[in-house]
Amino acid sequence: AWLFAWKETGPMARDRKPLKETGGGKTKRAGTVLEHFCCQANRGFGRIFSGGVVKCLVMELFSIGVKIYRNEGRQMDLTNAVPGRPDGQLQDYEAARRVSWEEEAKQFTWWKTGRVNAAFEAVDRHVEQGRGDAPAILYYDGVRDETWSFRRLRDDAARFGDALRRLGIGRGDRVFLFMPKGPELAVALLGIIRIGAVAGPLFEAFMETAVQDRLADSGAAAVVTTPALRPRIPRERLPELRHVILVGAEASDAEAGEWSYTELMKEAFTDSPVEWVDREAPMLLHYTSGSTGKPKGVVHVHNLMIHQYRVGRWVLDLRPGDIYWCTADPGWITGTSAGLFAPWLHGVPVVIRGGRFQQEGWYETVEKFGVTVWFSAPTAFRMLMAAGDELPKRYNLSSLRHVLSAGEPLNPEVFRWGLRALGNRIHDNWWMTETGCTMITNYPALPIKPGSMGRPLPGIEAAILNDQGRVLGPNQLGNLAIRAGWPGMMRAIWNNEEKYKQYFPFEGWYISGDSAYRDEDGYFWFQGRVDDVINTSGERVGPFEVESKLVEHPAVAEAGVIGKPDPVRGEIIKAFISLRQGYAPTEELKEEIQQFVRNGLAAHAMPREIEFRDKLPKTRSGKIMRRVLKAWELGLPTGDLSTMED
Ligand code: 6R9
């Protein structure tokens, strides 16, 4: 009575064979199997059932296009793809895959002039082509409320570049940004790149050691910061650091080697020329934490603009008239690449919201600016979700046309919340600091399978490799890899060729360090960092699927899951959970949550240990740091913690 199967008639069924006769006995047998299986449906099946009869049965039902329902009649995510928008980009995915990267290059003036600079293309170009009055930045922090045109942004960036030149800074020099987000950060970022120097954005919350490590590693010549953050820059230990530029300081505040931004800008000129560089010249240096040891400086070159432009078109779905808001901090690559460059290269204005995260403030910002395209991260969406479905109803969110998420896997529950609360599909997209911009994504026009990160960006070849570098077929878990050589690929790890080489252990492939699989429809499913996959009683369990089940429980706000060594089971699953407001951390609740996973996912996926915590350790970009949970659990050193939130 709990299993129904019938021919699927939706978009996924298109090329499938007609439904075969399924005899009662067979259906029932499949039923028993499927009770276990259904619970894991949205994570696929080939991987879970590697052997024999079980897999065949399930495969057979699926391959003939049956939909699978559980006793309560709820449709499983497996075939429950949410249809795409009829007006969305990439209606013809296969045709898009044939569009070369050089085709993208034709958008840029350098295609004709031969003179390259990404800052010029992002900002100056619009001014030169008569769009100087169009808005480039919409800034709001509760006090300041400013609209910056492309012309104003260009002029200030040019001026800042001039000021840097007067300080003797030029081509190839590293200049860091250590300040809160806002128009001045944007001006400085562009000004640095405009003169051919390399910009190194840092999270404003970094403490002294984190700042020192990065500035020292890269031999930074200057840093742009604020008086409040200045004490965290240990100048005496940074001999190569020549200048500190202080935003929001009077000339009289500046000590030796320090400059007031305002004063510098007063003396500088807007007609300072652009530094024309090579497409392969470095422009961005984003430090990303290694799981152990010191942070790595990922080097990106001006050619990244081609990739960012394509992402703006096909991933962000940007159009004239759009108001774009990416909530990411520029200290994280999402904040620069998807947050500023992709929209500006399309002439689309960006909203910058100053201040700290606060649920009301976010909905308010969408309403205030009429945001049409919104990019955030699962951790933020989970926090909004935890604040309840009533809150968004108090705001007018009808301007939203396209919503995106990156940085962590997007739990199906959060996706469903998006449909409900935002009236939008949340488009998960996967990438890394090292990849420059989006690699795998859900497109506006394509159906979304909740829990999947979607399909490769046209021009990107993604595959699953085994540990020997062989390409694996559908539904096999392995190393997520990308065919090397796309325009936005990092070109180096600063001062560390050895590290760089480690990303390319097999000829022609970039290895991400993430484990994933690809299904028959070409959708990729994230499982965890390779090191995070749990092996319990011989079953491989991705922490993400357990976490996703956990956050479906009404008491759970966030969850981090690790494998804990166990003499009998190899590893057992341990969950760290932060509760939603109004729930007490009791033993009964622990048991209830365990049963919830056992019944809803699988007995072997049940966390045998649960620990409640007020907060989970997270990176500043919002990733739950499972390696830190694990180190705490085992009493081992935690490694580099510089990217961890307070
Ligand atoms: C852009 C960014 C990279 C790592 C990556 C993966 C995780 C990012 C994800 C995702 C699942 C997604 N990650 N996007 N995991 N689904 N859509 O996050 O860069 O900070 O360098 O992190 O983040 O583990 O390897 P970065």
Side-chain angles (χ1 to χ4, degrees):
W2 57 270
L3 174 79
F4 308 88
W6 62 86
K7 185 170 187 295
E8 140 121 52
T9 50
M12 304 303 293
R14 227 179 284 144
D15 307 316
R16 297 235 159 93
K17 287 173 249 149
L19 182 65
K20 282 191 225 153
E21 278 294 313
T22 347
K26 199 170 179 184
T27 311
K28 253 191 238 134
R29 252 169 64 216
T32 339
V33 170
L34 285 171
E35 167 144 44
H36 181 69
F37 155 72
C38 279
C39 311
Q40 316 203 19
N42 66 336
R43 308 306 303 153
F45 45 85
R47 179 183 63 79
I48 300 163
F49 301 100
S50 46
V53 179
V54 176
K55 185 176 174 189
C56 293
L57 227 44
V58 173
M59 287 281 277
E60 186 170 344
L61 282 173
F62 188 51
S63 71
I64 57 175
V66 295
K67 278 187 176 177
I68 298 158
Y69 285 69
R70 284 194 67 217
N71 45 353
E72 69 272 32
R74 193 165 69 105
Q75 192 181 321
M76 288 295 113
D77 291 326
L78 183 59
T79 51
N80 185 18
V82 179
R85 271 210 335 267
D87 66 328
Q89 293 282 353
L90 239 78
Q91 295 290 337
D92 192 343
Y93 180 71
E94 292 311 319
R97 285 167 71 86
R98 290 190 293 274
V99 180
S100 73
W101 287 109
E102 285 309 290
E103 199 61 39
E104 229 59 280
K106 291 179 187 163
Q107 317 302 322
F108 300 113
T109 47
W110 54 256
W111 182 256
K112 295 183 205 83
T113 63
R115 295 194 304 239
V116 176
N117 189 302
F120 175 88
E121 299 294 340
V123 177
D124 294 48
R125 176 170 53 111
H126 303 300
V127 180
E128 295 202 355
Q129 295 175 353
R131 297 184 296 275
D133 292 329
I137 296 178
L138 307 165
Y139 179 73
Y140 181 64
D141 61 14
V143 183
R144 273 173 79 184
D145 188 352
E146 297 172 8
T147 302
W148 286 52
S149 65
F150 274 101
R151 180 173 296 103
R152 179 172 174 198
L153 184 56
R154 180 237 160 261
D155 286 353
D156 268 20
R159 220 192 292 261
F160 189 72
D162 188 36
L164 288 178
R165 278 191 177 125
R166 286 157 186 250
L167 295 176
I169 288 167
R171 250 173 212 264
D173 287 336
R174 278 77 61 212
V175 181
F176 276 73
L177 300 160
F178 181 44
M179 59 194 289
K181 51 185 165 189
E184 291 74 22
L185 192 155
V187 164
L189 174 73
L190 288 162
I192 296 164
I193 295 174
R194 203 170 180 276
I195 63 161
V198 184
L202 299 178
F203 287 105
E204 67 180 290
F206 277 153
M207 300 313 278
E208 183 170 320
T209 331
V211 175
Q212 184 190 331
D213 283 350
R214 287 156 178 81
L215 266 56
D217 182 64
S218 60
V223 55
V224 190
T225 186
T226 63
L229 296 173
R230 169 175 55 181
R232 296 192 214 154
I233 303 171
R235 293 198 59 194
E236 65 289 353
R237 270 170 278 148
L238 295 165
E240 287 170 275
L241 185 69
R242 284 178 279 145
H243 305 289
V244 176
I245 298 169
L246 295 167
V247 178
E250 303 294 326
S252 54
D253 295 338
E255 293 168 14
E258 295 182 343
W259 308 92
S260 145
Y261 172 87
T262 323
E263 292 299 313
L264 286 178
M265 292 293 270
K266 264 189 217 154
E267 288 157 23
F269 293 109
T270 61
D271 60 356
S272 79
V274 175
E275 188 87 10
W276 302 114
V277 296
D278 194 89
R279 274 164 77 177
E280 290 297 311
M283 72 162 179
L284 271 176
L285 182 58
H286 268 288
Y287 275 85
T288 176
S289 63
S291 41
T292 51
K294 66 183 175 82
K296 303 170 272 189
V298 174
V299 178
H300 284 292
V301 299
H302 284 253
N303 205 39
L304 172 59
M305 76 177 101
I306 295 180
H307 187 171
Q308 292 164 332
Y309 185 86
R310 178 166 284 195
V311 166
R313 181 150 64 123
W314 282 336
V315 179
L316 308 180
D317 193 43
L318 295 174
R319 298 144 192 231
D322 267 335
I323 306 289
Y324 176 74
W325 184 28
C326 171
T327 60
D329 191 285
W332 182 28
I333 187 134
T334 310
T336 55
S337 212
L340 300 175
F341 279 96
W344 282 339
L345 289 169
H346 285 264
V348 166
V350 299
V351 170
I352 303 180
R353 163 91 203 196
R356 284 194 78 81
F357 178 90
Q358 169 229 25
Q359 283 94 339
E360 291 83 358
W362 279 30
Y363 290 130
E364 199 179 270
T365 306
V366 172
E367 181 180 271
K368 173 177 162 65
F369 292 104
V371 172
T372 55
V373 182
W374 190 20
F375 195 136
S376 196
T379 177
F381 288 128
R382 281 194 299 261
M383 282 193 254
L384 292 174
M385 184 169 94
D389 285 10
E390 286 311 307
L391 189 60
K393 290 190 189 138
R394 284 193 238 137
Y395 298 86
N396 180 358
L397 307 177
S398 61
S399 58
L400 288 175
R401 182 187 82 240
H402 188 45
V403 181
L404 300 112
S405 165
E408 261 197 309
L410 185 69
N411 321 84
E413 185 63 18
V414 181
F415 177 85
R416 287 190 284 268
W417 165 84
L419 291 178
R420 250 182 6 246
L422 307 175
N424 270 274
R425 309 189 314 170
I426 303 178
H427 297 73
D428 186 18
N429 63 113
W430 175 90
W431 47 300
M432 304 174 69
T433 305
E434 293 87 336
T435 69
C437 215
T438 304
M439 293 278 105
I440 296 178
T441 185
N442 287 289
Y443 299 94
L446 300 184
I448 291 181
K449 302 189 187 192
S452 159
M453 49 202 191
R455 306 177 68 178
L457 180 74
I460 297 298
E461 183 188 344
I464 305 296
L465 306 189
N466 69 6
D467 291 341
Q468 285 70 47
R470 191 170 61 79
V471 177
L472 297 176
N475 299 318
Q476 290 185 280
L477 188 64
N479 299 293
L480 176 56
I482 310 284
R483 175 73 69 193
W486 69 96
M489 188 177 92
M490 64 168 170
R491 295 299 196 271
I493 297 289
W494 190 267
N495 252 339
N496 198 339
E497 209 187 323
E498 211 34 55
K499 195 96 230 161
Y500 185 71
K501 283 194 194 139
Q502 285 170 10
Y503 288 90
F504 307 91
F506 311 115
E507 184 68 35
W509 291 101
Y510 164 84
I511 302 294
S512 66
D514 286 352
S515 78
Y517 66 93
R518 180 173 55 83
D519 69 16
E520 289 89 351
D521 299 315
Y523 285 69
F524 283 77
W525 300 79
F526 177 87
Q527 288 300 290
R529 294 292 295 166
V530 170
D531 315 336
D532 288 344
V533 174
I534 302 164
N535 198 329
T536 177
S537 305
E539 305 259 11
R540 286 180 86 178
V541 180
F544 168 55
E545 60 188 338
V546 184
E547 289 163 8
S548 280
K549 180 48 71 181
L550 287 166
V551 298
E552 279 180 28
H553 190 282
V556 177
E558 295 209 90
V561 162
I562 60 162
K564 178 178 175 183
D566 179 85
V568 179
R569 296 189 168 79
E571 283 181 302
I572 59 159
I573 298 173
K574 169 153 189 179
F576 294 83
I577 289 175
S578 70
L579 292 174
R580 289 200 192 187
Q581 247 175 2
Y583 287 90
T586 60
E587 285 305 312
E588 292 74 50
L589 183 58
K590 271 189 197 172
E591 264 167 48
E592 185 188 317
I593 292 173
Q594 284 174 326
Q595 289 313 314
F596 183 77
V597 177
R598 168 187 272 278
N599 298 331
L601 189 56
H604 71 261
M606 181 190 81
R608 289 183 179 270
E609 280 186 28
I610 289 181
E611 185 174 327
F612 294 120
R613 292 209 166 228
D614 292 341
K615 274 172 118 188
L616 300 180
K618 276 191 241 166
T619 63
R620 307 217 159 266
S621 57
K623 293 186 221 302
I624 295 169
M625 299 177 89
R626 299 193 187 97
R627 68 175 171 85
V628 172
L629 290 171
K630 192 151 185 167
W632 284 349
E633 185 62 36
L634 304 182
L636 296 173
T638 42
D640 171 33
L641 289 186
S642 60
T643 56
M644 191 160 98
E645 267 182 355
D646 323 294

